[in-house]
Amino acid sequence: MRSINITRHLVLFLFLMLLAGNNHAQSKYLIKKASKASLQFAGKASAGTNYAFKPDTIIVRPDTRQVILKMNDEFSYIPFRVENTQRYQKELKQLLGRKFRRYEVSIETMGQKIQQLIPNLYRDQSVTIDAKRQQLNKVVSIPVVRNISANNHFAEGLDNRNIALWHSHGWYYENTLDRWEWQRARVFLTVEDIWTMSFVIPYLAPMLENSGARVFLPRERDIQKHEIIIDADGSTSKSTYTEVGEGFQDGKEKGYGLKVPFLLEGENPFQMGQSRRIQASKTSSSSVVYKPEIPEPRRLCRLYLVCRR
């Protein structure tokens, strides 16, 4: 009786060993087949693009019938939509073949499923909206400046939005070389400090402003070379500042006054001059006349007004 039990245990042990070996060989075969399919998929997805997509990791889970393909980071550059994510999954499943016909296929890049990289705007019922990307509360801010002459109102646009936009660095003074130069290097016959400005100034900033926003740029917007300064502390060329009427006094605060040919580090032209003040009145009794000398006729000028509260 004892010898029969030993024989049974031995047969069971050999059967399990054989089964484990068979499962290992089967898993190895599936991984090899899936790896080949992932390379074919990467090549097919790269066709027609400027990128060479590559599979990073392929995971085959026979127990849960799952295949997870992790692509390299460049694959995330694709603008994913519902249509192309479904197409990619279908193509991968076709390349995997009949052995994986009952497997669930998933494609990931940058640690996320490609469906998660679809913007909410382009999702449908097949892809759940990501609530984390939605604005919780609409914050109504007060615009710093309003164009009351335009009388434009965009309730569903960018009304009451203040946008600070920086279109690269521009000129800066390099002390070690004793010269002014661009901050960025020359690439393909241009430089970032000029190239970015070439579409921000004429296109991007006006588009935002025409949608209701107030756009603030730290660099000068005007691309013309002339600058006219009219100020009580001194004006350029033959431009004049004239006070008409009575009641004008020197203000207690510092004001604008560019009295030097160039600025040194730490110098602020808005602290180098004086300010003028007058009592406000509902009736017009006094005024200030700013009379510029225009160096070139028929040139549009951008006007800046500096004042103290």
Side-chain angles (χ1 to χ4, degrees):
M1 187 72 178
R2 185 176 180 184
S3 60
I4 295 174
N5 287 337
I6 293 174
T7 303
R8 286 179 178 176
H9 283 98
L10 181 60
V11 170
L12 180 61
F13 174 76
L14 292 174
F15 174 76
L16 292 175
M17 288 290 291
L18 182 62
L19 182 63
N22 184 54
N23 288 339
H24 177 73
Q26 180 73 5
S27 297
K28 194 173 181 180
Y29 168 76
L30 292 175
I31 292 174
K32 184 178 179 180
K33 188 171 178 61
S35 298
K36 182 180 178 181
S38 66
L39 289 171
Q40 292 174 331
F41 171 80
K44 195 171 182 179
S46 301
T49 72
N50 295 324
Y51 305 102
F53 302 131
K54 297 179 181 179
D56 182 83
T57 308
I58 185 74
I59 301 174
V60 179
R61 293 173 178 165
D63 53 337
T64 56
R65 295 188 178 277
Q66 285 181 301
V67 175
I68 302 172
L69 172 59
K70 297 186 178 183
M71 297 291 290
N72 61 349
D73 292 349
E74 284 75 9
F75 193 63
S76 65
Y77 298 167
I78 294 177
F80 289 110
R81 301 292 184 264
V82 174
E83 295 78 12
N84 61 358
T85 54
Q86 291 177 347
R87 187 179 73 249
Y88 285 139
Q89 286 193 284
K90 184 178 179 180
E91 289 176 354
L92 178 59
K93 195 156 189 176
Q94 288 176 344
L95 292 169
L96 286 169
R98 294 184 70 257
K99 286 288 184 181
F100 294 91
R101 65 185 183 278
R102 296 180 181 177
Y103 278 65
E104 180 185 345
V105 175
S106 176
I107 305 173
E108 299 181 5
T109 179
M110 296 285 290
Q112 299 184 76
K113 292 183 178 180
I114 56 176
Q115 288 83 356
Q116 295 174 325
L117 299 178
I118 304 174
N120 278 342
L121 180 65
Y122 298 103
R123 298 188 181 193
D124 59 16
Q125 295 82 359
S126 64
V127 183
T128 307
I129 296 294
D130 188 355
K132 294 180 180 179
R133 303 184 189 182
Q134 295 179 320
Q135 185 174 346
L136 299 178
N137 297 309
K138 187 176 181 181
V139 180
V140 179
S141 58
I142 301 174
V144 177
V145 180
R146 286 182 295 172
N147 186 352
I148 59 176
S149 301
N151 195 28
N152 291 332
H153 180 63
F154 304 96
E156 300 300 323
L158 297 176
D159 266 1
N160 299 325
R161 301 296 179 91
N162 301 309
I163 299 177
L165 188 63
W166 192 0
H167 50 291
S168 196
H169 302 80
W171 285 88
Y172 82 104
Y173 187 75
E174 177 56 70
N175 287 305
T176 58
L177 299 176
D178 190 24
R179 71 180 187 188
W180 289 89
E181 62 180 30
W182 298 115
Q183 177 127 358
R184 299 307 184 199
R186 276 73 170 167
V187 180
F188 298 119
L189 303 180
T190 187
V191 62
E192 179 195 328
D193 308 88
I194 304 175
W195 180 74
T196 314
M197 182 178 180
S198 69
F199 60 81
V200 170
I201 297 297
Y203 301 112
L204 182 57
M207 286 169 63
L208 294 171
E209 290 173 332
N210 290 337
S211 298
R214 301 278 75 79
V215 179
F216 297 88
L217 304 175
R219 286 176 61 186
E220 174 57 58
R221 287 191 181 197
D222 206 328
I223 60 174
Q224 67 164 312
K225 62 183 179 180
H226 300 292
E227 181 182 62
I228 303 169
I229 298 176
I230 308 174
D231 189 66
D233 290 318
S235 305
T236 56
S237 190
K238 296 180 181 179
S239 301
T240 58
Y241 166 92
T242 307
E243 295 176 351
V244 180
E246 300 178 349
F248 290 95
Q249 305 175 35
D250 287 333
K252 296 180 181 180
E253 301 87 357
K254 293 290 184 180
Y256 184 87
L258 188 57
K259 301 179 180 180
V260 292
F262 57 87
L263 295 170
L264 299 177
E265 184 177 356
E267 290 183 332
N268 185 353
F270 295 93
Q271 297 289 329
M272 298 173 69
Q274 302 299 319
S275 61
R276 299 283 289 165
R277 66 177 182 175
I278 189 173
Q279 185 69 34
S281 174
K282 293 183 179 180
T283 59
S284 177
S285 57
S286 300
S287 62
V288 174
V289 178
Y290 296 89
K291 187 177 180 180
E293 182 197 25
I294 308 298
E296 280 189 50
R298 299 177 184 176
R299 285 296 300 271
L300 294 176
C301 300
R302 184 173 294 276
L303 176 65
Y304 297 95
L305 179 64
V306 181
C307 59
R308 292 283 182 180
R309 293 183 62 180

